[in-house]
Amino acid sequence: MYDILKGLRVIEGSSFVASPVCGQHLLGLGAEVIRFDNIGGGLDASRWPIDGAGRSLFWEGLNKGKKSIAIDLNSPAGRELATQIITAPGEDAGLFVTNFPAAGFLSHERLAAHRPDLITARVMGWASGRNAVDYTMNAITGLPLITGPEDLPPDVPVNHVLPAWDLITGAYAAFTLMAAERNRRRTGQGGEIRIPLVDIAATTLGHLGQIAEVTADGPPRIRSGNDLFGAFGCDFLTADGKRLILVGITARQWKGVIETFGIGAEVAALEDRLGVSFDQEGPRFLHRKPLFDMVQKVIGAMSYAEAAALLNEKGICWETYRSLQESMAEEPGFISGNPVFNQQTHPSGHSYPTGGAPATFPALPRHPAPRAPRLGEHTEEILAELLDLPAHEIARLHDQRIVAGPES
């Protein structure tokens, strides 16, 4: 954690992945992030993964370090309270991150009536307001139809387990919120930013050349299994059953593969027979199968220890396929020994490595990543310090179940 954004206050009304990720990135660089949820928890309060007692490790991971207030958002009084929190005064305040509907009680227009320079970063499915989540969004990108084993029927999709569009959207929302905050400092103007998943996905495909690919002449892309598209790369099996991935994307990497495995003569003979040069990555991909066979023959005769020693000695770009548990135990610098992580005990009662800001600022001190809050843990603090409510008014809000403190 860093103090770069110290003093900045961000209010978050969100659930699931993209919007909480936005708040988490801002918090990691020092912003104060206050998240409000319905009493009893929002839509993601019990989302998997969970522990044996049913406590959401998902919620815990996405909300570490945030301040939590529980409000009855179904009541007019609760909604008014949320509005006051979002639009509270302060030069470094008036920043709101949400994935609530654009036309609801948290619409930017309604909120900006209380604070005209408010900045709202709103994560959406579609710009039209149509619902979408990462997995439904991914379905229209075409990617599930070119993911998976080569022998799958072309109309059978393979979903990716990583919610990539959510994660990219959350990071981009944090970036645009900071851009809008800088603009407000220059002009005094706030405004709403709408960040639809569909637009993140569509523009990303354009950045990667895939929109041009399907509109240009040439055959459509098909599944290539574990083969690295457009270059040399695949998984290989050692004699003792360990599987690793090895790539040769650059000319230097490809030269290293040839020299490491002693396949120069075979590669040259294949080039002569096909009338191509493997100095370029395109031909290496088009004719990858015989090249893979050459490398597999050598790796398949080695134990994992022998292969690892050779690949490390030669500086080849490679890695071992492991479970997360294995990588945590066996890969120094991934989580164990990584200064991004520190051991932290969370409200679930579990103690585990907890990640802070993934970026490193070598000249700045890094502070330990904090624990997650209990739902409603900071209710009284927020009401007293942010809204300056007296104790008897806070007690009344509790008595009327408009707000709630931490769960027992």
Side-chain angles (χ1 to χ4, degrees):
M1 312 293 287
Y2 292 98
D3 289 335
I4 295 170
L5 298 179
K6 187 175 182 178
L8 206 67
R9 185 172 70 230
V10 178
I11 309 302
E12 181 186 308
S14 61
S15 57
F16 300 119
V17 180
S19 186
V21 161
C22 174
Q24 193 59 229
H25 282 310
L26 296 168
L27 182 138
L29 295 180
E32 176 189 33
V33 179
I34 297 173
R35 170 167 170 158
F36 62 81
D37 283 282
N38 241 322
I39 295 175
L43 297 173
D44 57 353
S46 58
R47 196 162 189 238
W48 288 31
I50 58 176
D51 67 5
R55 292 172 294 228
S56 175
L57 302 177
F58 171 92
W59 195 93
E60 203 166 74
L62 281 173
N63 294 295
K64 54 187 178 291
K66 299 175 185 178
K67 293 182 178 179
S68 172
I69 179 170
I71 306 174
D72 178 10
L73 296 173
N74 297 314
S75 70
R79 293 183 173 190
E80 174 58 28
L81 197 61
T83 299
Q84 292 177 39
I85 292 171
I86 294 165
T87 60
E91 180 184 1
D92 292 322
L95 303 171
F96 180 42
V97 175
T98 188
N99 63 344
F100 274 73
F105 78 99
L106 293 174
S107 72
H108 179 78
E109 291 74 18
R110 292 186 183 183
L111 296 171
H114 299 268
R115 178 166 178 159
D117 70 344
L118 176 73
I119 298 172
T120 300
R122 191 178 306 275
V123 172
M124 308 173 70
W126 291 69
S128 65
R130 176 180 164 190
N131 286 335
V133 296
D134 188 282
Y135 302 100
T136 61
M137 188 66 261
N138 200 44
I140 67 166
T141 64
L143 296 178
L145 298 178
I146 58 173
T147 301
E150 295 175 87
D151 57 357
L152 271 184
D155 60 342
V156 175
V158 175
N159 289 331
H160 200 293
V161 298
L162 181 73
W165 303 125
D166 277 338
L167 297 173
I168 299 170
T169 299
Y172 189 74
F175 161 70
T176 56
L177 186 70
M178 288 296 91
E181 197 269 342
R182 185 175 188 273
N183 182 65
R184 186 175 70 179
R185 288 185 180 274
R186 291 191 304 109
T187 67
Q189 296 180 344
E192 182 175 21
I193 314 155
R194 296 187 175 184
I195 311 108
L197 287 176
V198 65
D199 292 344
I200 293 291
T203 56
T204 299
L205 295 176
H207 297 333
L208 296 175
Q210 291 183 243
I211 292 176
E213 179 186 23
V214 300
T215 56
D217 294 335
R221 190 185 302 192
I222 59 174
R223 303 181 203 269
S224 55
N226 284 341
D227 303 352
L228 179 62
F229 177 76
F232 179 90
C234 192
D235 58 307
F236 298 94
L237 193 64
T238 64
D240 49 355
K242 289 279 190 177
R243 195 170 292 275
L244 53 88
I245 183 170
L246 182 152
V247 301
I249 299 177
T250 68
R252 182 177 180 180
Q253 289 174 345
W254 173 240
K255 183 180 178 182
V257 169
I258 293 175
E259 293 176 351
T260 298
F261 296 105
I263 57 175
E266 292 176 84
V267 169
L270 182 61
E271 287 176 319
D272 290 342
R273 186 164 68 253
L274 297 173
V276 300
S277 170
F278 293 136
D279 289 343
Q280 301 297 318
E281 58 182 332
R284 293 199 294 270
F285 176 72
L286 292 174
H287 304 287
R288 62 193 181 278
K289 296 304 182 184
L291 296 175
F292 290 162
D293 290 342
M294 296 176 196
V295 173
Q296 179 58 60
K297 182 178 179 181
V298 180
I299 290 181
M302 297 180 177
S303 68
Y304 172 76
E306 292 169 335
L310 177 64
L311 294 170
N312 286 333
E313 176 190 348
K314 299 295 185 180
I316 300 300
C317 188
W318 75 287
E319 194 49 84
T320 309
Y321 286 95
R322 296 184 177 101
S323 68
L324 178 55
Q325 293 93 327
E326 290 171 333
S327 292
M328 290 176 66
E330 301 171 7
E331 190 63 59
F334 173 53
I335 293 177
S336 175
N338 185 344
V340 168
F341 288 84
N342 56 269
Q343 197 75 9
Q344 186 64 264
T345 301
H346 294 273
S348 63
H350 301 290
S351 179
Y352 50 82
T354 301
T360 295
F361 296 79
L364 299 178
R366 176 187 283 275
H367 307 295
R371 67 169 177 84
R374 290 176 293 162
L375 180 65
E377 178 176 344
H378 303 94
T379 294
E380 294 195 9
E381 174 189 331
I382 293 165
L383 296 176
E385 296 183 7
L386 182 60
L387 299 187
D388 199 26
L389 296 183
H392 70 272
E393 177 65 13
I394 295 174
R396 182 188 67 81
L397 292 172
H398 277 287
D399 290 342
Q400 294 182 356
R401 295 291 293 167
I402 295 170
V403 301
E407 299 170 316
S408 58

